[in-house]
Amino acid sequence: MSRLIVWRHGNTDWNANHRVQGQTDVPLNALGRQQAVDAAELLIKLKPDAIVSSDLHRASDTAAALAALSGLSISYDKRLRERYFGAWQGLTMTEVAELYPDQHTRWTSGREVGGDVESLTDLGKRVSEALHAAAGLAPPGGTVVVTTHGAAARQGIGHLLGWPLEQLRTLRALQNCHWVELSHSRERAWQVAAYNVGPFTDRPVPPPV
């Protein structure tokens, strides 16, 4: 049985201020860097065979903490980038609600936002393709760690598992530096083995944007 770990990046100042990041390349803050180190100390126990990351710095710098412990090099895949939020990027969610009330209503109800915001369908497809490619880097029975983003992780996993959008909305957002463990076997294909795992259980959950 092979294992795929889908790991959300550490905290950023924009996470802390509930500001929409999307594909803006926001760096980790001091808390995020420490979260990456703490999480890596847990993930190294899973004996990863490969590490793949989004090329955005908040993800790649998170992956670097595990690479430093494992001695593995990091492969980068742009398909693992966060959802593109268009004109929302850089705004707080309060500002989004004021400036784009119709889009914000659709977002909060789980519908497609429209405008220049990437569709959930497109997001899920591109991230799941990257997850498939990453899984192929490990030997049979091996483990791959993929570092990505909140919305990207949820939609990519959902597309991989064939879940409808309504079912995905029942999942709580991943906390910073938490991960999802997926297992794969010939008999059962992909399954969720664990969700929202990590060293921090009492912190508020920033929006996965």
Side-chain angles (χ1 to χ4, degrees):
M1 183 175 291
S2 300
R3 182 165 49 192
L4 185 65
I5 305 297
V6 184
W7 185 20
R8 186 187 179 192
H9 62 77
N11 194 260
T12 72
D13 287 344
W14 283 25
N15 282 148
N17 294 322
H18 301 288
R19 195 171 296 278
V20 180
Q21 296 181 116
Q23 295 188 5
T24 308
D25 201 2
V26 182
L28 295 176
N29 57 22
L31 172 60
R33 292 190 293 272
Q34 186 60 54
Q35 288 175 333
V37 170
D38 292 345
E41 291 176 353
L42 296 178
L43 288 170
I44 193 64
K45 298 175 182 178
L46 302 180
K47 300 179 179 180
D49 296 287
I51 304 171
V52 184
S53 177
S54 157
D55 63 336
L56 297 179
H57 281 94
R58 60 189 184 273
S60 63
D61 288 349
T62 297
L66 181 59
L69 292 181
S70 64
L72 296 169
S73 60
I74 304 171
S75 299
Y76 300 97
D77 192 331
K78 292 181 179 180
R79 292 175 296 181
L80 293 169
R81 288 182 178 184
E82 181 58 292
R83 184 181 187 183
Y84 179 67
F85 279 92
W88 291 23
Q89 294 181 177
L91 301 176
T92 64
M93 291 310 297
T94 298
E95 291 169 336
V96 170
E98 292 173 350
L99 294 170
Y100 305 100
D102 292 340
Q103 288 186 342
H104 184 264
T105 297
R106 290 195 292 271
W107 179 72
T108 55
S109 64
R111 291 176 289 161
E112 295 289 5
V113 173
D116 59 354
V117 177
E118 183 178 13
S119 74
L120 293 170
T121 300
D122 289 346
L123 173 64
K125 184 175 185 296
R126 70 167 166 85
V127 176
S128 67
E129 288 173 351
L131 295 178
H132 269 296
L137 296 177
T143 297
V144 176
V145 176
V146 175
T147 310
T148 184
H149 309 263
R154 183 161 63 178
Q155 292 303 132
I157 290 167
H159 197 277
L160 189 74
L161 297 170
W163 288 3
L165 295 180
E166 294 77 12
Q167 186 172 356
L168 276 179
R169 280 180 54 77
T170 67
L171 292 177
R172 181 185 177 188
L174 280 178
Q175 292 175 263
N176 285 118
C177 259
H178 280 53
W179 59 86
V180 181
E181 179 181 337
L182 301 172
S183 61
H184 186 274
S185 66
R186 289 184 179 179
E187 295 80 13
R188 296 185 178 274
W190 288 106
Q191 291 185 302
V192 177
Y195 185 82
N196 223 354
V197 182
F200 314 101
T201 58
D202 58 350
R203 301 187 188 278
V205 182
V209 294

